[in-house]
Amino acid sequence: HSPKQGVWKQTGKQQITIKVLEFAYDPSGALTTVYKLTFVAQFDDKNYQTGAGEVKFDAYLPFQNVLDPDEIPVASGEGTFSFQRINL
């Protein structure tokens, strides 16, 4: 797995939006790609234990400014996911 930085915010009833930057490196340690991912997660139950959502991603080369809204990604995609909380 690669290093990530992110934030999350409540964006609806039992819903959060998560934004993550993920950094991919080649075997020599050189940065190859920066991914910007946006997850929208909807909890299924009142105890916030399970849910599902959608994820969208954009991929950028190391010299691109991933935080510039006018920057054009080299690849994009989207998908769905489900989740279950892990309790200690």
Side-chain angles (χ1 to χ4, degrees):
H1 297 281
S2 63
K4 298 168 185 59
Q5 293 182 353
V7 297
W8 67 273
K9 177 180 180 179
Q10 182 178 355
T11 52
K13 185 175 180 177
Q14 291 185 264
Q15 181 184 77
I16 59 173
T17 297
I18 305 156
K19 293 197 176 198
V20 175
L21 296 180
E22 181 173 344
F23 305 92
Y25 299 88
D26 70 14
S28 73
L31 180 64
T32 60
T33 313
V34 179
Y35 296 94
K36 181 168 60 172
L37 300 104
T38 302
F39 299 85
V40 178
Q42 183 71 45
F43 291 93
D44 291 335
D45 62 84
K46 293 181 182 179
N47 294 322
Y48 300 93
Q49 301 298 304
T50 62
E54 298 179 353
V55 59
K56 295 181 181 181
F57 80 87
D58 293 318
Y60 298 88
L61 298 175
F63 61 84
Q64 292 182 282
N65 182 353
V66 66
L67 300 178
D68 180 350
D70 294 326
E71 192 75 68
I72 298 171
V74 295
S76 297
E78 57 186 57
T80 59
F81 64 93
S82 61
F83 60 91
Q84 181 173 349
R85 185 177 185 165
I86 299 171
N87 293 312
L88 297 176

